Amino acid sequence: MKKYSFKKTVVGWFNLREEGSGEIVATIPFEALAKLLPGVSERRFCGTVECTERRLDEVLNG
């Protein structure tokens, strides 16, 4: 399991970064964030999520 932080962009998508790294892993729409973090509010603008690399790959690549 890895921890990722997310922060909402000006256009409403979310930058996803591996915790402790400044590099953006992905920029995802709210729908993808909701798959990683069920029950997350659309009003949420930042936070963290913990998931496996496999789960993240499934969400990013279908």
Side-chain angles (χ1 to χ4, degrees):
M1 290 272 220
K2 287 190 174 185
K3 211 179 224 185
Y4 298 91
S5 61
F6 61 88
K7 189 171 185 180
K8 197 172 200 175
T9 68
V10 173
V11 295
W13 284 42
F14 293 86
N15 286 333
L16 198 60
R17 291 182 164 93
E18 190 172 334
E19 194 73 16
S21 170
E23 274 187 59
I24 295 172
V25 174
T27 300
I28 58 175
F30 174 76
E31 294 76 17
L33 181 65
K35 288 179 184 175
L36 286 174
L37 194 59
V40 67
S41 168
E42 286 188 59
R43 296 186 310 182
R44 179 74 115 170
F45 65 91
C46 67
T48 60
V49 61
E50 191 174 71
C51 69
T52 63
E53 288 183 59
R54 181 179 177 185
R55 178 67 182 138
L56 180 60
D57 186 55
E58 287 172 358
V59 169
L60 295 178
N61 300 311

